[in-house]
Amino acid sequence: MTAPIIRQLAELRAKHSDWIRAGERVAVVPTMGALHAGHLSLVAAAKAACDRVIVTIFVNPKQFNNPEDLANYPRTEHDDAIKLAPHDVDVIYVPDPGQIYPGGFATNVSVAGVADQMEGACRPGHFDGVATVVAKLFLQTGAHQAFFGEKDYQQLLVVRRMARDLDIPIEVVGCPTVREASGLAMSSRNMRLSDEGTKKAGALHPILTALAARLSAGGVFADLKKQSEAEILAAGFEELEYLSLCSAEDLSAVELAQGPARLFVAAWIEGVRLIDNIAV
Ligand code: AMP
């Protein structure tokens, strides 16, 4: 059965009150829709951990620094509801824009530190948009736990920091990246690639994995980076925005993978910007 779609905060709050009165634990899975198996893995983790699951679908204009990207972002609400049906979620919250940004909205949630590099540097204002909407979704849903993908690892750390700093009583849970057979990280943006582009993009993950193996064997990032960058461009990517090795804890740049570290990449193919990251 498809879950009810709620568009008004007051209606969501009424459901939430019933659940809390019954002593139930509530999970939220924030998404921008165009759901794929990566999103559904978060839903499965949420179902396993909590009594009630709210999936939110909101294409948040405030986190798009590029108007074309916002205009091209897939919107597939009907299909999304069908994909969620077998997962037996309790509510799909698709807030009317005025429920998130009412007239006169003037507040900005801005996280420093983990939000400053990579996506934060390449997409000015992006993480302010993310932190602001996610803070609202945490407060609106009143969830005990929130499920986010490691696919957007920097976002996961930004959101966790925000919730801690603002004393929002929610646990932010990170879930592993779901990939295609080629290793390509599933993403709503992959829908915009041709078959050939999808095939070329499949080269990214093996290149990252090979670089991670060399780093784990004691390689120095500065010595290895150029070769991997050349491989990414040779695979058919038009532009590489960054290839970075960072501490998995605070995202500071590292040269040697001595503690927990991650490799991060952002690259363009067929005019589509893809990001990925893996543990080293
Ligand atoms: P989005 O709809 O792209 O904003 O993503 C919503 C949530 O799904 C975020 O927490 C993402 O990190 C997560 N997500 C997106 N792609 C994947 C994937 N391939 N594997 C796991 N989680 C994902």
Side-chain angles (χ1 to χ4, degrees):
M1 209 181 64
T2 55
I5 293 179
I6 290 183
R7 299 182 195 278
Q8 300 293 318
L9 175 57
E11 206 186 323
L12 181 69
R13 287 234 160 108
K15 285 235 180 246
H16 180 264
S17 303
D18 292 345
W19 297 339
I20 296 301
R21 251 196 308 277
E24 294 176 322
R25 286 185 57 82
V26 179
V28 64
V29 180
T31 81
M32 297 203 298
L35 301 183
H36 50 65
H39 298 112
L40 298 177
S41 75
L42 306 183
V43 173
K47 280 288 292 181
C50 289
D51 306 300
R52 300 287 180 174
V53 176
I54 304 168
V55 174
T56 71
I57 299 179
F58 183 67
V59 181
N60 175 30
K62 198 170 149 58
Q63 74 187 66
F64 284 81
N65 54 314
N66 176 345
E68 219 177 293
D69 190 23
L70 174 61
N72 289 334
Y73 203 85
R75 288 159 174 88
T76 59
E77 183 183 310
H78 178 71
D79 289 351
D80 291 343
I82 290 171
K83 283 183 195 159
L84 287 170
H87 292 266
D88 197 25
V89 304
D90 295 276
V91 164
I92 307 173
Y93 181 49
V94 189
D96 286 337
Q99 302 294 293
I100 300 291
Y101 300 122
F105 187 85
T107 298
N108 186 45
V109 179
S110 189
V111 178
V114 287
D116 288 341
Q117 56 284 73
M118 299 190 287
E119 292 303 283
C122 292
R123 303 181 64 190
H126 169 65
F127 281 131
D128 282 13
V130 169
T132 304
V133 80
V134 172
K136 291 208 58 150
L137 292 171
F138 284 1
L139 295 167
Q140 292 193 347
T141 59
H144 298 95
Q145 289 189 306
F147 293 79
F148 285 83
E150 288 182 346
K151 156 78 173 34
D152 302 282
Y153 190 88
Q154 188 176 14
Q155 168 175 278
L156 169 66
L157 296 197
V158 168
V159 164
R160 196 173 269 156
R161 183 77 257 162
M162 176 277 292
R164 280 189 196 151
D165 288 355
L166 298 183
D167 302 315
I168 302 179
I170 193 166
E171 183 195 353
V172 176
V173 181
C175 302
T177 302
V178 177
R179 299 178 180 280
E180 306 284 357
S182 65
L184 176 64
M186 288 193 184
S187 164
S188 307
R189 290 190 170 85
N190 295 352
M191 283 184 193
R192 286 162 50 199
L193 297 176
S194 70
D195 288 350
E196 204 194 331
T198 305
K199 209 164 146 207
K200 287 179 180 168
L204 191 57
H205 184 248
I207 294 169
L208 288 184
T209 311
L211 174 55
R214 280 180 239 130
L215 290 164
S216 298
V220 179
F221 185 54
D223 298 341
L224 301 170
K225 188 179 175 202
K226 276 219 159 55
Q227 189 193 330
S228 301
E229 285 176 342
E231 286 169 5
I232 291 168
L233 295 174
F237 283 84
E238 293 118 31
E239 192 192 328
L240 184 60
E241 269 188 42
Y242 59 79
L243 175 64
S244 307
L245 179 68
C246 298
S247 150
E249 274 144 28
D250 64 7
L251 299 187
S252 56
V254 293
E255 275 299 305
L256 283 170
Q258 279 163 333
R262 291 187 89 90
L263 269 173
F264 294 84
V265 67
W268 291 80
I269 187 158
E270 294 185 336
V272 179
R273 186 175 185 277
L274 300 183
I275 59 169
D276 199 355
N277 71 92
I278 60 169
V280 179

